[in-house]
Each structure stands twice: as C-alpha cells, then as structure tokens.
Amino acid sequence: MKFVKILTVGAIIVLAISGCSGKAETPSSNQQLPHNEATIEAPKATDTKMDTIDYSQYFNNQDKSRVIVSGQQIVWKNEDVTFTAKLAKAKGSEAAESNKVVDSMKIKSKRGEQIIKLNPRPLRVNSLSLSKSNQAALDVSDHEGSRLVLINLSDGTQTILNMLKTNSYGADSEKIDAYNWSPDGKKIAFGIGDLGSSYIAVYDLERKVYTKLSDKDFILIPSIVWHEDGKSFDFVSKGNDSPQPVLYTYSATQNSILKKGFLSEIDEKKLSKLTPKF
C-alpha cells in the first residue's frame, strides 16, 4: 500500500530533489523594468517596538486548499483547480545534487489544462497561490535560490519574475522570498534578490510592469500581506544585523516605505500564516 500524507496549507513540503531539463517559458520583450524607488521613512525612535497590530486591515488571500503527497506525486487542490507535480529519478549531473527532481507540472481547471516546463528542473515545490484575476503563482526551489512563476489559467502564458531578460535591472535574480497577490489579483508583491540579499518589488500583470521599490537591502523578506484597500502592504524584514523581525509598510499613494518597528514572535507567526506556502 502506498503511503499517503495529507498536508494543510501551513505545512511545508520537503522533497530531496534537484536538476536540469525541460524548457522554460520566456517573458515577452515588452516587459518593462522601471526604477521607481520609494522613499524610506524611519520611525521617530529607531528601536521602536510594535504595539498590537490591527489584523482586520489585512486582505486574507489564504484558501482551503490541501496538498496530498503520494508516492512520486504531489497534488494541490482548491475548488476547481488541481495542480499536479510528478517526481523522477535524477540523471547525469542532477544525481550529484539529489536522487529525485520535479520532472513535470500541470494545472487543470475549468478553463483548461496548462503544462509548466522549467529548465533546470526544480528541487521542490514550495507553494501555489491563486489570484482573483485568473492567475496562479508557483514558487519552486532550485539547487541555489528559487523561481516565482506566474501562470495565466486561461491561455497558459507563463512569466518567471526573477528571470526577466529585457533589462539588467532586476534580471536573473537568484531567489524569491515571500510573495502575495493584491486584493484584485492584478498585482503581486514579492521579495527578490540574490542569496543573502532581498529587495521589495511589485509586478503589475495588466501593464506587464516590474517595479523595484527600493535599493535598500532587507536581507530576507519572510512575509508580505496586502491591506484591504489594495493601495498598500506590509512586509517583514529579517537580517543578519537585526535578527529580530522588523515590520515595514509600503504605500503606493505616497510612494513611501515606513519602518513601523520590531515584531513580537507571536505577530511574526501570524503574519507568516497570511503569506502563501504549503
């Protein structure tokens, strides 16, 4: 009998896999990468500790999806959408990194079936999140770093956010940290950078515009949560110089980033639960 494990949205799938094969979809040449830095405002007291956080201000994009791991297959289900990833034995140089790789992935819904091909083949699947604009965000880990793939569930268009080739600004970044959809599903905010560094950015799906919001290195961005108004979002920064998590708020209206203060362990965990992950 095969062993079947059902995981809730809060559990992390750990797979011993890595590799190289397939052909990734390449973003179209009309992608824009504007440099539109936000002003970073510091609180009056540099060691400010956050008071209670009003969680009612946040847009909760978490769903009732579930993940089933059975043998060589991972299945993610949420209402009419089913994501399936199949594992395979590593070959050639892949075997030096792991025994298995994520060999194939697909998303099936009432809109059709979309095949996802990535090169190199990923080590594991970290999370999947649906937007209100008929898009899916897929986060996968590689031997070093990770990729965030946006998939249009209607026409199959795929965009790898940290591999945009049209401009050296922000292109070929090694990894994506946390990410989250805006309430209307037309934008996605994410932490992006290389190993040991993270910058906050937003991608507008309708305009196909990538905007890096600040040159400040936030080291690691483990959580991002949009406000209900869709005009601002909060994100958590955690760095080597300050292991205690810090909360920031980005306002699109003011084009500014405000440092709110240090987070308690409880608040850090609550914000993490509002950020997509298996």
Side-chain angles (χ1 to χ4, degrees):
M1 177 181 293
K2 292 184 177 180
F3 174 68
V4 178
K5 185 176 181 183
I6 299 180
L7 302 175
T8 62
V9 181
I12 299 178
I13 304 277
V14 178
L15 308 174
I17 40 189
S18 77
C20 161
S21 184
K23 184 178 180 181
E25 295 284 346
T26 303
S28 59
S29 60
N30 64 347
Q31 306 279 1
Q32 299 180 50
L33 304 177
H35 193 71
N36 187 28
E37 291 182 25
T39 301
I40 298 182
E41 304 174 11
K44 294 181 180 179
T46 56
D47 295 328
T48 301
K49 187 173 182 179
M50 287 292 299
D51 293 326
T52 56
I53 297 176
D54 179 13
Y55 285 91
S56 66
Q57 68 182 320
Y58 294 132
F59 168 65
N60 188 348
N61 191 41
Q62 303 310 295
D63 48 46
K64 296 181 180 180
S65 60
R66 64 174 183 168
V67 179
I68 303 173
V69 180
S70 177
Q72 302 298 313
Q73 183 171 274
I74 303 169
V75 179
W76 178 96
K77 291 186 176 182
N78 176 42
E79 296 180 356
D80 71 319
V81 180
T82 300
F83 167 81
T84 304
K86 292 186 177 181
L87 312 182
K89 184 178 180 180
K91 297 180 180 180
S93 60
E94 296 175 344
E97 301 175 1
S98 182
N99 295 324
K100 298 178 182 179
V101 293
V102 179
D103 183 55
S104 64
M105 295 175 284
K106 66 180 180 181
I107 296 180
K108 188 176 182 180
S109 70
K110 60 184 179 182
R111 306 163 193 86
E113 184 175 292
Q114 312 301 341
I115 304 299
I116 305 164
K117 295 182 179 181
L118 296 178
N119 181 19
R121 294 188 287 184
L123 287 165
R124 58 182 170 270
V125 178
N126 298 319
S127 67
L128 183 74
S129 180
L130 302 177
S131 77
K132 289 187 176 181
S133 63
N134 197 34
Q135 299 272 343
L138 173 67
D139 178 32
V140 298
S141 287
D142 299 314
H143 177 60
E144 290 185 351
S146 58
R147 283 169 284 178
L148 184 62
V149 188
L150 305 185
I151 305 115
N152 186 309
L153 298 182
S154 294
D155 60 21
T157 301
Q158 298 173 25
T159 301
I160 303 176
L161 286 185
N162 48 319
M163 295 183 69
L164 296 174
K165 301 290 187 180
T166 58
N167 191 304
S168 60
Y169 172 68
D172 292 322
S173 297
E174 291 178 333
K175 56 110 179 184
I176 295 285
D177 287 337
Y179 68 91
N180 223 331
W181 292 106
S182 61
D184 61 7
K186 296 179 180 180
K187 295 180 181 179
I188 188 168
F190 51 96
I192 185 170
D194 296 325
L195 299 180
S197 68
S198 289
Y199 305 88
I200 195 70
V202 169
Y203 183 72
D204 187 314
L205 278 78
E206 288 190 331
R207 298 168 55 213
K208 295 184 178 180
V209 171
Y210 168 114
T211 304
K212 185 179 177 183
L213 298 177
S214 174
D215 275 340
K216 176 177 172 56
D217 186 353
F218 295 100
I219 311 299
L220 175 66
I221 300 175
S223 299
I224 298 175
V225 186
W226 283 83
H227 292 195
E228 286 281 3
D229 62 9
K231 298 178 180 179
S232 55
F233 60 81
D234 287 3
F235 65 95
V236 178
S237 170
K238 203 169 184 179
N240 297 327
D241 57 341
S242 178
Q244 189 173 357
V246 180
L247 184 68
Y248 289 86
T249 294
Y250 168 72
S251 169
T253 303
Q254 300 178 5
N255 192 31
S256 65
I257 296 174
L258 174 64
K259 181 178 180 181
K260 303 297 287 292
F262 293 111
L263 288 173
S264 67
E265 183 177 351
I266 293 176
D267 285 324
E268 180 186 11
K269 289 181 178 180
K270 286 183 177 180
L271 289 170
S272 177
K273 290 180 179 179
L274 295 174
T275 300
K277 61 176 61 70
F278 276 173

XYZ file of all heavy atoms in Angstrom, residues 147-220:
582
model
N 12.522 30.217 -7.919
C 11.862 30.940 -9.000
C 10.385 31.109 -8.674
O 9.778 30.243 -8.051
C 12.004 30.168 -10.318
C 13.362 30.285 -10.969
C 13.522 29.309 -12.116
N 13.747 27.948 -11.638
C 13.892 26.889 -12.434
N 13.806 27.043 -13.749
N 14.114 25.694 -11.931
N 9.824 32.244 -9.110
C 8.404 32.502 -8.959
C 7.798 32.618 -10.350
O 8.141 33.506 -11.115
C 8.149 33.794 -8.161
C 6.684 34.105 -7.854
C 6.054 33.009 -6.997
C 6.561 35.448 -7.123
N 6.901 31.683 -10.667
C 6.303 31.603 -11.996
C 4.840 32.008 -11.921
O 4.076 31.479 -11.111
C 6.397 30.168 -12.560
C 5.939 30.144 -14.015
C 7.804 29.619 -12.417
N 4.437 32.957 -12.769
C 3.041 33.355 -12.874
C 2.432 32.653 -14.080
O 2.998 32.685 -15.170
C 2.919 34.873 -13.030
C 3.583 35.736 -11.955
C 3.258 37.203 -12.193
C 3.152 35.308 -10.559
N 1.272 32.010 -13.881
C 0.621 31.256 -14.948
C -0.788 31.774 -15.163
O -1.584 31.834 -14.218
C 0.558 29.753 -14.614
C 1.948 29.210 -14.298
C -0.071 28.969 -15.757
C 2.112 28.745 -12.884
N -1.086 32.187 -16.397
C -2.444 32.584 -16.755
C -3.243 31.310 -16.998
O -2.918 30.521 -17.889
C -2.420 33.450 -18.017
C -3.785 34.020 -18.352
O -4.776 33.306 -18.425
N -3.821 35.331 -18.577
N -4.284 31.076 -16.197
C -5.036 29.829 -16.273
C -5.895 29.727 -17.523
O -6.398 28.647 -17.839
C -5.910 29.667 -15.025
C -5.158 29.573 -13.696
C -6.126 29.379 -12.543
C -4.131 28.460 -13.724
N -6.077 30.828 -18.240
C -6.896 30.808 -19.458
C -6.091 30.490 -20.711
O -6.461 29.634 -21.506
C -7.608 32.152 -19.644
O -8.542 32.363 -18.615
N -4.947 31.191 -20.880
C -4.192 30.998 -22.114
C -2.833 30.331 -21.913
O -2.103 30.084 -22.867
C -3.999 32.331 -22.847
C -3.239 33.359 -22.012
O -2.533 32.972 -21.066
O -3.354 34.567 -22.314
N -2.483 30.054 -20.651
C -1.231 29.343 -20.387
C 0.015 30.194 -20.382
O 1.118 29.677 -20.192
N -0.116 31.512 -20.587
C 1.052 32.395 -20.567
C 1.790 32.269 -19.237
O 1.173 32.305 -18.171
C 0.631 33.860 -20.771
O -0.046 33.975 -22.018
C 1.846 34.774 -20.766
N 3.116 32.126 -19.304
C 3.918 31.952 -18.095
C 5.033 32.988 -18.036
O 5.704 33.254 -19.032
C 4.508 30.537 -18.058
C 3.442 29.444 -18.023
C 4.015 28.057 -18.151
O 5.172 27.813 -17.831
N 3.202 27.117 -18.636
N 5.214 33.576 -16.860
C 6.250 34.586 -16.655
C 7.047 34.228 -15.407
O 6.475 34.068 -14.332
C 5.636 35.982 -16.463
O 4.860 36.318 -17.602
C 6.724 37.036 -16.273
N 8.363 34.091 -15.547
C 9.233 33.844 -14.399
C 9.743 35.198 -13.923
O 10.565 35.838 -14.582
C 10.407 32.930 -14.775
C 9.880 31.613 -15.358
C 11.273 32.639 -13.544
C 10.966 30.687 -15.855
N 9.250 35.655 -12.787
C 9.503 37.030 -12.359
C 10.976 37.356 -12.137
O 11.417 38.467 -12.437
C 8.712 37.332 -11.081
C 7.207 37.527 -11.256
C 6.573 37.948 -9.941
C 6.913 38.569 -12.330
N 11.742 36.431 -11.591
C 13.139 36.762 -11.321
C 14.073 36.349 -12.454
O 15.282 36.258 -12.279
C 13.619 36.143 -10.008
C 13.270 34.674 -9.871
O 12.178 34.249 -10.230
N 14.185 33.898 -9.343
N 13.496 36.145 -13.674
C 14.335 35.829 -14.825
C 13.976 36.695 -16.034
O 14.150 36.288 -17.180
C 14.199 34.340 -15.176
C 14.728 33.418 -14.081
S 14.643 31.665 -14.512
C 15.891 31.587 -15.793
N 13.449 37.877 -15.790
C 13.134 38.795 -16.882
C 14.433 39.204 -17.587
O 15.399 39.597 -16.945
C 12.401 40.030 -16.345
C 11.032 39.750 -15.712
C 10.466 41.022 -15.095
C 10.065 39.189 -16.736
N 14.438 39.140 -18.906
C 15.672 39.331 -19.670
C 15.782 40.696 -20.347
O 16.790 41.005 -20.949
C 15.755 38.252 -20.758
C 15.740 36.824 -20.231
C 17.020 36.477 -19.510
C 17.052 35.001 -19.140
N 18.286 34.632 -18.437
N 14.733 41.528 -20.286
C 14.719 42.743 -21.103
C 15.576 43.872 -20.552
O 15.783 44.858 -21.207
C 13.277 43.268 -21.237
O 12.763 43.517 -19.924
C 12.395 42.250 -21.926
N 16.073 43.721 -19.336
C 16.862 44.781 -18.745
C 17.705 44.175 -17.636
O 17.234 43.322 -16.905
C 15.937 45.870 -18.170
C 16.682 47.131 -17.774
O 17.615 47.085 -16.987
N 16.262 48.246 -18.322
N 18.948 44.596 -17.492
C 19.813 44.040 -16.458
C 19.309 44.396 -15.067
O 19.656 43.761 -14.089
C 21.245 44.559 -16.627
O 21.276 45.977 -16.536
N 18.474 45.423 -14.979
C 17.938 45.855 -13.694
C 16.933 44.817 -13.186
O 15.852 44.656 -13.724
C 17.264 47.219 -13.849
C 16.506 47.676 -12.631
C 17.171 48.002 -11.469
C 15.118 47.766 -12.666
C 16.470 48.415 -10.358
C 14.421 48.185 -11.563
C 15.102 48.502 -10.411
O 14.396 48.914 -9.301
N 17.317 44.077 -12.171
C 16.422 43.100 -11.567
C 16.388 41.759 -12.260
O 15.744 40.843 -11.786
N 17.080 41.606 -13.389
C 17.009 40.354 -14.138
C 17.941 39.302 -13.554
O 18.964 39.614 -12.951
C 17.364 40.602 -15.599
N 17.574 38.033 -13.764
C 18.398 36.897 -13.351
C 18.715 36.904 -11.856
O 19.805 36.504 -11.446
C 19.705 36.857 -14.155
C 19.446 36.530 -15.615
O 18.563 35.707 -15.880
O 20.127 37.096 -16.482
N 17.782 37.346 -11.042
C 17.971 37.280 -9.594
C 17.897 35.823 -9.157
O 17.148 35.025 -9.720
C 16.897 38.104 -8.877
O 17.012 39.465 -9.221
N 18.654 35.489 -8.154
C 18.766 34.088 -7.756
C 17.544 33.550 -7.031
O 17.259 32.363 -7.114
C 19.996 33.903 -6.857
C 21.320 34.076 -7.580
C 22.508 33.924 -6.655
O 22.364 34.191 -5.447
O 23.579 33.525 -7.135
N 16.843 34.425 -6.304
C 15.779 33.872 -5.476
C 14.631 34.845 -5.239
O 14.755 36.060 -5.405
C 16.355 33.415 -4.134
C 17.097 34.522 -3.373
C 16.374 34.979 -2.144
C 17.135 36.055 -1.398
N 16.518 36.463 -0.132
N 13.511 34.235 -4.866
C 12.320 34.969 -4.437
C 12.049 34.583 -2.988
O 12.097 33.400 -2.647
C 11.094 34.587 -5.296
C 11.288 35.032 -6.749
C 9.817 35.187 -4.715
C 11.136 36.519 -6.980
N 11.784 35.566 -2.160
C 11.385 35.270 -0.780
C 9.865 35.121 -0.752
O 9.305 34.401 -1.547
C 11.837 36.397 0.154
C 13.342 36.389 0.381
O 13.957 35.322 0.207
O 13.892 37.441 0.721
N 9.221 35.819 0.156
C 7.761 35.778 0.239
C 7.142 36.529 -0.930
O 7.790 37.347 -1.587
C 7.311 36.390 1.565
N 5.848 36.247 -1.188
C 5.084 36.958 -2.213
C 3.621 36.939 -1.803
O 3.207 36.156 -0.952
C 5.258 36.295 -3.591
C 4.630 34.929 -3.680
C 3.313 34.766 -4.116
C 5.333 33.793 -3.305
C 2.730 33.509 -4.187
C 4.759 32.537 -3.378
C 3.464 32.396 -3.814
O 2.885 31.152 -3.871
N 2.818 37.811 -2.405
C 1.384 37.782 -2.137
C 0.644 38.608 -3.191
O 1.157 39.621 -3.678
C 1.059 38.321 -0.739
C 0.021 37.472 -0.036
O -0.826 36.845 -0.675
N 0.069 37.434 1.290
N -0.563 38.140 -3.530
C -1.416 38.827 -4.501
C -2.130 40.008 -3.864
O -2.512 39.958 -2.695
C -2.474 37.876 -5.046
C -1.971 36.762 -5.903
C -1.868 35.447 -5.562
C -1.520 36.860 -7.256
N -1.377 34.717 -6.608
C -1.159 35.553 -7.673
C -1.387 37.918 -8.157
C -0.670 35.281 -8.947
C -0.898 37.647 -9.426
C -0.552 36.350 -9.813
N -2.345 41.059 -4.656
C -3.172 42.178 -4.212
C -4.625 41.716 -4.174
O -4.983 40.696 -4.784
C -3.027 43.363 -5.178
O -3.465 42.991 -6.481
N -5.497 42.425 -3.461
C -6.900 42.007 -3.355
C -7.605 41.817 -4.695
O -8.441 40.920 -4.828
C -7.535 43.151 -2.554
C -6.420 43.654 -1.706
C -5.206 43.571 -2.578
N -7.280 42.636 -5.708
C -7.927 42.482 -7.015
C -7.194 41.499 -7.919
O -7.641 41.200 -9.031
C -8.069 43.833 -7.726
C -6.728 44.513 -8.004
O -5.672 43.883 -7.763
O -6.735 45.666 -8.463
N -6.067 40.984 -7.461
C -5.319 39.993 -8.223
C -4.573 40.544 -9.413
O -4.027 39.788 -10.212
N -4.491 41.860 -9.541
C -3.841 42.468 -10.705
C -2.372 42.796 -10.455
O -1.637 43.128 -11.384
C -4.593 43.735 -11.120
C -6.021 43.461 -11.586
C -6.737 44.747 -11.961
C -8.161 44.456 -12.426
N -8.888 45.697 -12.797
N -1.940 42.706 -9.196
C -0.545 42.956 -8.849
C -0.072 41.889 -7.875
O -0.862 41.286 -7.150
C -0.387 44.347 -8.208
C -0.708 45.508 -9.134
C -0.523 46.837 -8.423
C -0.861 48.005 -9.353
N -0.698 49.310 -8.671
N 1.217 41.686 -7.862
C 1.808 40.767 -6.910
C 3.051 41.427 -6.322
O 3.886 41.971 -7.053
C 2.137 39.404 -7.566
C 2.559 38.395 -6.505
C 3.163 39.538 -8.682
C 2.615 36.959 -7.022
N 3.158 41.414 -4.997
C 4.320 41.977 -4.310
C 5.218 40.819 -3.887
O 4.734 39.749 -3.519
C 3.879 42.781 -3.086
N 6.531 41.041 -3.927
C 7.442 39.946 -3.609
C 8.806 40.470 -3.186
O 9.199 41.593 -3.510
C 7.602 39.006 -4.813
C 7.941 39.706 -6.100
C 9.254 39.808 -6.528
C 6.943 40.276 -6.886
C 9.568 40.458 -7.719
C 7.247 40.929 -8.076
C 8.565 41.024 -8.495
N 9.527 39.641 -2.443
C 10.915 39.924 -2.102
C 11.789 39.233 -3.134
O 11.581 38.067 -3.449
N 12.768 39.929 -3.674
C 13.601 39.382 -4.746
C 15.054 39.789 -4.525
O 15.345 40.844 -3.965
C 13.108 39.876 -6.127
C 13.887 39.222 -7.266
C 13.172 41.402 -6.221
C 13.307 39.485 -8.647
N 15.984 38.942 -4.947
C 17.391 39.285 -4.807
C 18.283 38.086 -5.036
O 17.885 37.103 -5.657
N 19.491 38.155 -4.502
C 20.423 37.048 -4.564
C 20.556 36.454 -3.164
O 20.031 37.011 -2.197
C 21.782 37.526 -5.080
C 21.676 38.042 -6.515
O 20.868 37.479 -7.280
O 22.389 39.007 -6.859
N 21.240 35.327 -3.065
C 21.376 34.680 -1.764
C 22.027 35.651 -0.777
O 23.104 36.190 -1.029
C 22.207 33.406 -1.896
C 21.614 32.331 -2.822
C 22.530 31.117 -2.878
C 20.222 31.945 -2.377
N 21.340 35.899 0.339
C 21.857 36.826 1.337
C 21.393 38.255 1.156
O 21.790 39.142 1.918
N 20.525 38.512 0.148
C 20.005 39.861 -0.054
C 18.573 39.794 -0.565
O 18.198 38.841 -1.252
C 20.857 40.647 -1.053
O 20.728 40.084 -2.355
N 17.766 40.789 -0.208
C 16.374 40.840 -0.665
C 15.930 42.290 -0.827
O 16.239 43.143 0.005
C 15.442 40.151 0.337
O 15.620 38.759 0.315
N 15.187 42.543 -1.915
C 14.625 43.858 -2.185
C 13.135 43.690 -2.426
O 12.686 42.652 -2.906
C 15.320 44.478 -3.403
C 16.818 44.543 -3.237
C 17.622 43.467 -3.613
C 17.421 45.651 -2.664
C 18.999 43.502 -3.424
C 18.796 45.698 -2.471
C 19.579 44.616 -2.852
O 20.933 44.656 -2.651
N 12.364 44.695 -2.101
C 10.915 44.603 -2.255
C 10.525 45.110 -3.644
O 11.064 46.102 -4.131
C 10.185 45.388 -1.139
C 8.717 45.008 -1.079
C 10.404 46.878 -1.255
C 8.446 43.623 -0.573
N 9.602 44.414 -4.292
C 9.201 44.767 -5.653
C 7.731 44.425 -5.879
O 7.123 43.673 -5.116
C 10.072 44.036 -6.674
N 7.168 44.991 -6.961
C 5.773 44.729 -7.347
C 5.723 44.507 -8.848
O 6.432 45.178 -9.608
C 4.854 45.915 -6.963
C 3.476 45.755 -7.594
C 4.715 46.023 -5.457
N 4.895 43.562 -9.276
C 4.693 43.330 -10.704
C 3.227 43.571 -11.031
O 2.331 43.020 -10.385
C 5.078 41.899 -11.084
C 4.954 41.615 -12.570
C 5.856 42.166 -13.479
C 3.940 40.801 -13.062
C 5.753 41.920 -14.841
C 3.828 40.540 -14.425
C 4.733 41.101 -15.301
O 4.626 40.856 -16.640
N 2.977 44.426 -12.028
C 1.632 44.745 -12.494
C 1.316 43.853 -13.688
O 1.930 43.990 -14.754
C 1.573 46.229 -12.890
C 0.168 46.695 -13.233
O -0.535 45.977 -13.974
O -0.225 47.787 -12.788
N 0.354 42.932 -13.537
C 0.076 41.958 -14.587
C -0.593 42.584 -15.803
O -0.340 42.165 -16.933
C -0.805 40.827 -14.035
C -0.063 39.736 -13.269
C 0.268 40.203 -11.859
C -0.883 38.458 -13.202
N -1.449 43.587 -15.603
C -2.150 44.199 -16.729
C -1.193 45.015 -17.591
O -1.232 44.951 -18.814
C -3.298 45.077 -16.223
C -4.481 44.291 -15.674
C -5.674 45.177 -15.426
O -5.469 46.383 -15.133
O -6.811 44.677 -15.517
N -0.321 45.787 -16.956
C 0.622 46.639 -17.681
C 1.927 45.922 -18.004
O 2.754 46.419 -18.747
C 0.907 47.890 -16.856
C -0.326 48.759 -16.596
C -0.036 49.810 -15.534
N 1.121 50.626 -15.892
C 1.966 51.139 -15.024
N 1.804 50.920 -13.724
N 2.984 51.877 -15.427
N 2.131 44.756 -17.387
C 3.362 43.985 -17.533
C 4.572 44.832 -17.136
O 5.576 44.905 -17.841
C 3.511 43.452 -18.957
C 2.434 42.446 -19.340
C 2.674 41.863 -20.713
C 1.592 40.830 -21.034
N 1.792 40.229 -22.369
N 4.439 45.458 -15.977
C 5.487 46.346 -15.476
C 6.011 45.831 -14.140
O 5.248 45.585 -13.209
C 4.953 47.790 -15.300
C 5.981 48.660 -14.583
C 4.627 48.393 -16.652
N 7.326 45.670 -14.074
C 8.024 45.253 -12.854
C 8.626 46.504 -12.215
O 9.332 47.261 -12.879
C 9.103 44.242 -13.254
C 10.132 43.893 -12.208
C 10.183 42.610 -11.681
C 11.087 44.806 -11.789
C 11.151 42.263 -10.754
C 12.046 44.474 -10.855
C 12.073 43.194 -10.349
O 13.034 42.855 -9.431
N 8.346 46.733 -10.938
C 8.878 47.906 -10.251
C 9.613 47.501 -8.992
O 9.023 46.922 -8.078
C 7.752 48.896 -9.868
O 7.028 49.266 -11.033
C 8.331 50.145 -9.224
N 10.894 47.779 -8.957
C 11.681 47.578 -7.746
C 11.497 48.820 -6.883
O 11.779 49.935 -7.322
C 13.157 47.385 -8.098
C 14.038 47.045 -6.915
C 15.466 46.844 -7.394
C 16.398 46.571 -6.231
N 17.804 46.457 -6.678
N 10.991 48.648 -5.665
C 10.549 49.795 -4.880
C 11.663 50.490 -4.111
O 11.517 51.647 -3.746
C 9.456 49.348 -3.899
C 8.183 48.790 -4.552
C 7.204 48.314 -3.495
C 7.538 49.845 -5.439
N 12.753 49.800 -3.838
C 13.811 50.446 -3.079
C 15.130 49.714 -3.271
O 15.156 48.502 -3.488
C 13.467 50.473 -1.586
O 14.547 50.966 -0.838
N 16.228 50.454 -3.198
C 17.554 49.848 -3.265
C 18.010 49.326 -1.904
O 19.051 48.703 -1.801
C 18.580 50.858 -3.783
C 18.599 50.897 -5.303
O 18.141 49.926 -5.920
O 19.058 51.906 -5.867
N 17.238 49.594 -0.868
C 17.619 49.114 0.461
C 17.591 47.592 0.484
O 16.633 46.961 0.038
C 16.677 49.656 1.536
C 16.963 49.104 2.941
C 16.057 49.706 3.987
C 16.204 49.034 5.342
N 17.601 49.064 5.838
N 18.647 46.990 0.998
C 18.736 45.540 1.112
C 18.088 45.105 2.436
O 18.588 45.418 3.511
C 20.209 45.113 1.077
C 20.374 43.615 1.046
O 19.369 42.896 1.188
O 21.515 43.155 0.878
N 16.980 44.389 2.328
C 16.274 43.922 3.518
C 16.716 42.522 3.945
O 16.119 41.914 4.830
C 14.765 43.926 3.256
C 14.195 45.301 3.044
C 13.936 45.775 1.773
C 13.938 46.141 4.130
C 13.414 47.057 1.578
C 13.432 47.415 3.946
C 13.163 47.874 2.666
N 17.768 41.983 3.302
C 18.396 40.704 3.623
C 17.462 39.522 3.388
O 17.704 38.673 2.547
C 18.926 40.661 5.084
C 19.765 41.909 5.380
C 19.742 39.387 5.290
C 20.975 42.064 4.505
N 16.358 39.462 4.142
C 15.383 38.383 3.982
C 13.988 38.958 4.222
O 13.772 39.689 5.189
C 15.650 37.251 4.980
C 14.633 36.100 4.996
C 14.675 35.332 3.684
C 14.906 35.158 6.169
